Amino acid sequence: MTDWVILVENANDISQAETPHKVLRVADYITRPALFAGRRPYILNLCRSYGYQSEGYYASLLAEARGHRVSPSVQTMVELSAKGLYNHALPDLGERLREARAKGAPEVESLFVAFSKPEIAGYERLAREVSDWFRVPALEVEFDPAAPHGISRVRMVPPQKLKGERRDFFLRAMETYTSGRISEPKTKAPAKWALAVLVDPNEKHTAPSKPASIKRLADVAAKMGVEVEIIDPSDLTSLAEFDALFIRATTQINNYTYKFARRAEQEGMPVIDDTHSMIRCTNKVYLKEILEKAGLPIPQTEILDEKSDLEAVFNKLGSPVVLKTPDGSFGSNMVKARTLEELKEGVKAMFQTTALVIAQEFVPTKFDWRIGVLNGEPLYACQYKMARGHWQIVKHGPDGKTTEGGFKTVAVEDAPPAIVDAAVRSARLIGDGLYGVDLKETDRGVMIIEINDNPSIDHDVEGAVLKDELWRRLISWFSTRLEQRMGRIA
C-alpha cells in the first residue's frame, strides 16, 4: 500500500487525529532529508502557500529531488500561478462545463474540487478533468459566462482556507483517495517500486494479457521488490501514486490508453507503451514508410486515397488484394478482395472512416512469426497458426466472437536467424520498449507484416519457453530505468 505523508505548516491545518497517515511539519521535511531514506512516500503538500520560493514550493521541489511522489508538483504550482500558463487546459474544461450544464448541473459561480471529487453533484466529469490536468489536493474553478470557455480562473486552495462543511468534505475526499486499492499480498521482500498495470475490465477476448498472466507477473515482481497494482480506466487521477506504468489494455491514439501514457511521461515514469510507440505502431501508413526507408522487407504495398487508380493497383498487386485501415488491430478492419469489384467496395467502405487505405499483396502462409523485442533485444519467438478455414490467425465472426489458430513457442535461438534479425532491426526503428513484430517466412524471403506496440503476452503462450524469466526481464526493464532516474546506476 502507499506510504502517505501529509505536510502542513501549522498543526491546526490538519491534525494527526484527523487522518491515519503521518502528519509532518513542512519545516521538518525540508531540513531532515534522511527521514525517509530507502522509502518512496507519497507526499501530500498541504502548505498554506505554494508561491515561488515559499516553504510549500520548496517542499515539492525537494520531494522531487528525493525521488518522492508529491502533490502538487512544482510544475503544477508554476502553471496555476498565471492564467496564461494554463490556457491550454481551458478548452477541455469548458467542454466538460457545457456538458454538465446541459445535463442539469446547477448554475453556480464556482466549483470546489477535492481529490478529483466535486463538492456539488452534477460536475463529476469536470472535477475529474481538472484533476487530470492539475494534480492538486484542493482546487477551485471559477465560472464566468463572459470568459473564454466559461472559466475565469483555476486556483489551488490551501487547507487553512477550508471551513465548516467544506473542510469536512475535503477530509472525506482525502480519506477516500488515500485509502488505497486492493493490492497483491505483501511478500517478505520490501517493495522498492510500485508498478501500475492498466487493464480494461470490458476487454474479455482481446486483452493483451489474461488475468492469470498478470497475476503471474505480480508474483514474480513481488520477489524482485516491485509491488504491482491493477488499475482501470477510471484511475487516471491516481496514476502519480505509482513509479511506472505497464499498459495491458488495447492501445489507441484516441482513447484513454494514450492519456495514461501521456500522463505517465509527464510524471517522469517509465511506461510501456509510450506515446511515441503508440503513434508510430498504430498507424500502418507510418510503418510502411519507415520500413521501406530502412530497406527492410515488406509485402508489396500501396497507399490509396480516393483518387487512386484502383484497377492499376489491382493489376499490380494481383488477386487477392488485402485491404487494411491504418489503425486496425487484431486483424480487424481488413478485407480480402478477390475481384476488382470487391476491391472497390472494400475501399469505399473504409473511406467512410479514414482518408487513406493500405492495399497489400496477399502472402499466404500456414503461420505468422511473432518475435517479441524488449529494449532492442529479442525476448520470445512464437508461431501463430491461421484460424481453421481462414486466412488470418484470428477469425472475426459476425456475432463479434473470435476464433484463433494454434501456436508454437520456440526458444529465440531456435527461430530462423533471418526472422529474428528483421524483427529486431524493425523494432529498433520504433524505440526501446516492448514490441511484437509479425513476420512471414516465404519462398521470396522474410517479410515484415506489422510492428505491434502492445503485443499479447501470456505465460502459457509467449512465456511457454522462458516461463517466469519472461516476467523478470520485463520487471528488470522498469527497475533499471527507475534506478537510472534515481541516479543509482549509469
Side-chain angles (χ1 to χ4, degrees), residues 210 366-370 380-387 393 404-410 456 458-465 467:
K210 299 183 181 72
K366 293 182 179 180
F367 60 83
D368 285 353
W369 279 101
R370 165 72 63 80
Y380 62 82
C382 285
Q383 293 177 357
Y384 297 148
K385 299 178 182 179
M386 302 301 152
I393 61 176
E404 298 182 21
F407 70 91
K408 179 182 178 182
T409 307
V410 303
S456 299
D458 281 309
H459 67 276
D460 56 347
V461 181
E462 291 78 13
V465 171
K467 302 189 183 303

Side-chain angles (χ1 to χ4, degrees), residues 25-220:
R25 288 179 62 250
V26 66
D28 291 331
Y29 179 79
I30 290 174
T31 59
R32 299 169 65 187
L35 271 177
F36 302 100
R39 295 158 59 191
R40 292 200 72 232
Y42 191 108
I43 307 297
L44 283 181
N45 183 351
L46 302 184
C47 287
R48 295 187 167 196
S49 171
Y50 298 124
Y52 181 60
Q53 294 192 337
S54 65
E55 277 195 319
Y57 178 90
Y58 278 117
S60 287
L61 188 68
L62 290 173
E64 293 176 17
R66 295 168 185 173
H68 299 167
R69 296 159 288 184
V70 62
S71 173
S73 66
V74 170
Q75 181 184 30
T76 296
M77 293 179 187
V78 171
E79 286 187 347
L80 288 180
S81 66
K83 188 173 182 179
L85 298 178
Y86 61 83
N87 273 335
H88 59 285
L90 296 183
D92 285 350
L93 300 181
E95 182 62 27
R96 300 292 86 77
L97 173 60
R98 288 189 292 274
E99 290 174 356
R101 295 278 173 82
K103 294 179 179 179
E107 299 274 347
V108 292
E109 295 183 354
S110 65
L111 176 69
F112 177 69
V113 178
F115 299 98
S116 80
K117 302 294 184 184
E119 187 178 31
I120 301 171
Y123 288 98
E124 286 76 14
R125 288 197 66 190
L126 173 57
R128 288 195 299 270
E129 187 80 37
V130 73
S131 298
D132 287 348
W133 277 106
F134 310 110
R135 185 164 48 86
V136 176
L139 284 165
E140 188 166 44
V141 185
E142 297 177 1
F143 306 132
D144 182 354
H149 309 289
I151 295 173
S152 61
R153 187 184 181 192
V154 180
R155 66 184 185 93
M156 296 180 282
V157 181
Q160 82 276 8
K161 299 290 187 181
L162 304 176
K163 307 296 181 184
E165 292 183 0
R166 178 162 289 185
R167 178 183 174 84
D168 294 339
F169 172 77
F170 174 82
L171 292 173
R172 289 195 303 271
M174 184 173 72
E175 180 182 5
T176 299
Y177 184 76
T178 59
S179 61
R181 291 172 296 279
I182 297 175
S183 307
E184 295 295 327
K186 287 197 178 288
T187 62
K188 293 181 180 180
K192 291 174 60 179
W193 311 110
L195 172 66
V197 178
L198 175 63
V199 302
D200 187 342
N202 295 319
E203 282 192 314
K204 303 299 183 184
H205 306 293
T206 59
S209 294
K210 299 183 181 72
S213 294
I214 294 175
K215 176 64 166 60
R216 182 71 67 89
L217 166 70
D219 291 343
V220 172

Side-chain angles (χ1 to χ4, degrees), residues 432-448:
D432 65 353
L434 172 67
Y435 309 99
V437 184
D438 295 341
L439 313 94
K440 288 181 179 290
E441 196 175 13
T442 76
D443 294 339
R444 292 153 51 194
V446 173
M447 292 188 183
I448 300 168

